Amino acid sequence: MTKPAITEPFENLHDQILDAVGEEGVVAAPADMARYLAEERGRFVGRAAFVVRPASTAEVAEVVKLCAAAGVGVVPQGGNTSLVGGSIPFEEGDEIVLSLERMTRIRELDADNFTITVEAGVILQQVQEAAAAADRLFPLSLGAEGSCRIGGNIASNAGGVQVLRYGNMRDLVLGLEVVLPDGRIWDGLRALRKDNTGYDLKQLFVGSEGTLGVVTAAVLKLYARPREVVTAFVAVPDPAAALALLGRLRAASGESVTSFELIPRLILEFALRHIEGCRDPLSAPQPWYLLVELFGGREDGGLREALEEALAAAYEDGTVLDAALAESETQRRAFWQLRENLTEAQKFEGGSIKHDVSVPVSAVPAFLKEAEAKCRELVPGCRPVPFGHLGDGNIHFNVSQPEGGGAAEREAFLAGWDAMNRAVHDIVHRHRGSISAEHGIGRLKLAENARFKSPVELDLMRAVKQALDPHGIMNRGKVL
Ligand code: FAD
Ligand code: MLT
Ligand code: ZN
């Protein structure tokens, strides 16, 4: 391999790491490093001395030890689908990216214990497929599941479209193996549902966004694979009606509601306009939609009837305007394709200012009303397209720039990102909500997080960081 132009203090480190992980384990040519240094939304582009791709926990530990000795920062990376700039280094170029993409072993699946033990680099979809092959369900599901990796899901405490029933990653982890910032390996790979022997250390690393250590493997919970899946695309007049339907369905189905996704008409139009193969499931345009899915334990277990009855009753009282039930897996997939492409569809409509927020579910209608009014006051003509996980109060309150306009208008609109974030987050705060429901803080939300976190909470987080990473080499400048 031609020796890349790696300058001190990285030259020596580069050679040491090359010895530890071999040629396969180091990427140093700028063209080959590019994909590790750009992030999903193109807001940040980082620089790194080089990228390391260890193939085992022992190699990860060796690499971290060498970086700690050299005082060089480490940015752990999984699928690099982070939406807050957490997975790429800063522009200074004085960190290395440590990609877990070569650690893709499924170490064990214990169907009787309803657990699966996987390495950090296993892609989420692969875990879902391995579980299904054993007649089990691994319930984490999100738009990036084809490329995000389990280590990243854990470090970002990923949420997605089934949190309402199965919780987020924090609720799905039973045990972790972690390489600590000093290079020691913590083997916490226990497959127990009960273990009351001191602090629950694994939970420190869930959601830590790579700032406390490198997750190298995990024991994850599995669930029974559903025998009945009922999916509907439902039109409602407004978010308050959506909320009423949620309560009705949860009651009518004995907590079988698995997904409850809110979609406003405008963003559906974005998808119909720009995404190949997307079709409106209903015959006439409606103001708001819900993608609803229920899982049951028995074929024809009556879930479909329960849903139809609840929809019919809601139709009678005007809280439902129309609905289509999926009659086939193909139709079900078509409904989900609409939902999963909302992220992509926004890219074709100019600049989009993002908010990943949560409020108590009952506060969503009031929050939406206040936040929409505020944004229109700030930027007349802007187009709020609030969508997402209504079932857990998590709304992606994204706002597209006013219709039309070119690059200049896009720039001007995006220049208002921080001001709009502050305005929307103030409203979230008034509703005792969170300014980052599922995507984390990364580098994007540092200032906003510091604005709302109490001094006590920030002190506690700094104390944990100081205890585990006293030399501050893990994912510098992220989260805190
Ligand atoms: P990366 O992006 O590589 O890293 C994420 C963070 O974890 C970074 O801070 C990184 O440093 C750290 N990290 C990565 N691997 C490790 C490790 N092994 N040890 C320690 N730290 C590590 N997120 C949701 O929660 N819900 C959604 O519905 C959702 N939908 C999305 C839809 C699309 C189209 C896209 C592009 C993203 C979406 N995301 C969503 C965001 C993203 O997919 C999640 O945050 C995901 O969990 C990141 O996984 P990853 O493997 O890509 O991690
Ligand atoms: C989603 O739920 O689609 C994502 O979390 C939101 C986004 O990609 O903006
Ligand atoms: Zn989401």
Side-chain angles (χ1 to χ4, degrees):
M1 173 175 87
T2 47
K3 205 151 165 43
I6 292 176
T7 53
E8 274 312 328
F10 305 110
E11 201 171 356
N12 188 25
L13 177 64
H14 170 269
D15 295 345
Q16 291 172 317
I17 287 181
L18 197 57
D19 283 348
V21 301
E23 302 260 342
E24 264 292 284
V26 177
V27 178
D32 301 338
M33 284 204 282
R35 71 183 175 89
Y36 299 92
L37 304 177
E39 50 86 34
E40 188 58 34
R41 284 181 172 153
R43 263 182 79 96
F44 309 109
V45 179
R47 286 181 52 242
F50 49 91
V51 174
V52 188
R53 308 180 328 137
S56 69
T57 302
E59 286 188 7
V60 173
E62 189 51 31
V63 169
V64 171
K65 247 182 230 144
L66 290 168
C67 291
V72 169
V74 177
V75 180
Q77 191 180 91
N80 196 17
T81 66
S82 165
L83 295 172
V84 290
S87 54
I88 59 164
F90 283 88
E91 294 75 15
E92 284 69 16
D94 58 358
E95 301 167 289
I96 65 138
V97 171
L98 192 158
S99 169
L100 283 299
E101 64 187 3
R102 289 178 67 210
M103 290 186 65
T104 55
R105 280 177 49 234
I106 293 181
R107 293 187 186 172
E108 182 192 8
L109 192 155
D110 183 341
D112 292 340
N113 193 40
F114 281 76
T115 51
I116 185 168
T117 305
V118 302
E119 293 188 338
V122 181
I123 291 176
L124 173 52
Q125 201 157 8
Q126 290 166 336
V127 179
Q128 294 167 344
E129 287 162 359
D135 194 27
R136 295 288 180 268
L137 170 75
F138 180 65
L140 187 78
S141 176
L142 51 103
E145 60 197 22
S147 39
C148 61
R149 297 173 187 266
I150 287 299
N153 295 143
I154 291 167
S156 62
N157 183 26
V161 296
Q162 299 189 149
V163 169
L164 169 58
R165 177 143 180 205
Y166 296 102
N168 46 26
M169 205 54 186
R170 190 171 296 288
D171 306 295
L172 300 174
V173 172
L174 284 176
L176 288 183
E177 178 186 79
V178 180
V179 172
L180 301 171
D182 60 9
R184 284 180 300 160
I185 299 169
W186 170 48
D187 177 357
L189 284 178
R190 287 183 282 275
L192 305 171
R193 278 155 179 92
K194 287 188 171 175
D195 172 12
N196 245 346
T197 51
Y199 301 131
D200 189 353
L201 295 173
K202 66 178 178 299
Q203 290 298 354
L204 283 177
F205 298 99
V206 180
S208 63
E209 300 186 54
T211 61
L212 299 180
V214 183
V215 172
T216 47
V219 180
L220 305 173
K221 289 180 192 170
L222 296 179
Y223 288 80
R225 196 171 58 79
R227 294 293 185 267
E228 183 181 17
V229 177
V230 182
T231 313
F233 205 83
V234 182
V236 292
D238 54 34
L243 211 50
L245 184 64
L246 176 62
R248 196 190 282 258
L249 286 184
R250 288 185 69 166
S253 68
E255 290 296 11
S256 303
V257 182
T258 305
S259 298
F260 200 82
E261 297 287 305
L262 180 71
I263 303 173
R265 175 70 200 175
L266 183 56
I267 201 168
L268 183 71
E269 282 178 7
F270 289 3
L272 297 173
R273 226 179 268 168
H274 303 295
I275 307 291
E276 189 63 32
C278 282
R279 252 188 315 290
D280 190 335
L282 302 178
S283 53
Q286 300 291 0
W288 293 88
Y289 301 90
L290 294 160
L291 177 51
V292 182
E293 189 152 87
L294 298 87
F295 282 178
R298 287 180 41 227
E299 305 260 345
D300 301 332
L303 266 189
R304 187 181 175 89
E305 292 70 20
L307 177 59
E308 283 170 337
E309 275 165 32
L311 289 174
Y315 187 76
E316 283 311 307
D317 69 19
T319 46
V320 159
L321 303 172
D322 193 359
L325 269 73
E327 299 303 340
S328 65
E329 179 55 21
T330 310
Q331 200 176 8
R332 174 183 172 272
R333 282 302 324 143
F335 289 175
W336 277 108
Q337 196 216 355
L338 269 177
R339 165 58 184 90
E340 281 152 9
N341 279 293
L342 299 180
T343 299
E344 189 59 26
Q346 296 165 79
K347 294 178 180 170
F348 297 88
E349 290 287 335
S352 166
I353 295 176
K354 309 289 187 184
H355 304 87
D356 162 37
V357 296
S358 59
V359 293
V361 181
S362 50
V364 168
F367 159 69
L368 289 177
K369 220 186 229 93
E370 292 165 38
E372 285 208 25
K374 188 66 192 166
C375 289
R376 293 188 199 285
E377 181 197 308
L378 275 176
V379 183
C382 71
R383 297 174 292 165
V385 283
F387 71 97
H389 324 290
L390 175 58
D392 25 277
N394 173 195
I395 298 294
H396 297 302
F397 189 87
N398 296 348
V399 182
S400 285
Q401 72 179 70
E403 185 101 38
E409 288 75 11
R410 176 187 157 85
E411 281 318 302
F413 178 71
L414 291 177
W417 184 297
D418 292 347
M420 190 176 280
N421 270 196
R422 278 196 297 277
V424 171
H425 291 160
D426 283 343
I427 298 170
V428 167
H429 192 61
R430 278 206 299 280
H431 287 283
R432 297 185 65 74
S434 167
I435 64 155
S436 185
E438 56 179 10
H439 299 160
I441 299 298
R443 60 186 283 192
L444 185 67
K445 299 188 181 176
L446 284 169
E448 280 297 87
N449 201 33
R451 196 157 74 91
F452 292 106
K453 277 272 181 255
S454 69
V456 170
E457 215 164 350
L458 287 171
D459 278 355
L460 287 173
M461 294 210 293
R462 286 194 191 100
V464 170
K465 172 74 176 177
Q466 184 57 31
L468 287 171
D469 183 18
H471 304 295
I473 68 159
M474 295 307 300
N475 224 355
R476 284 180 179 143
K478 310 285 176 41
V479 180
L480 281 175

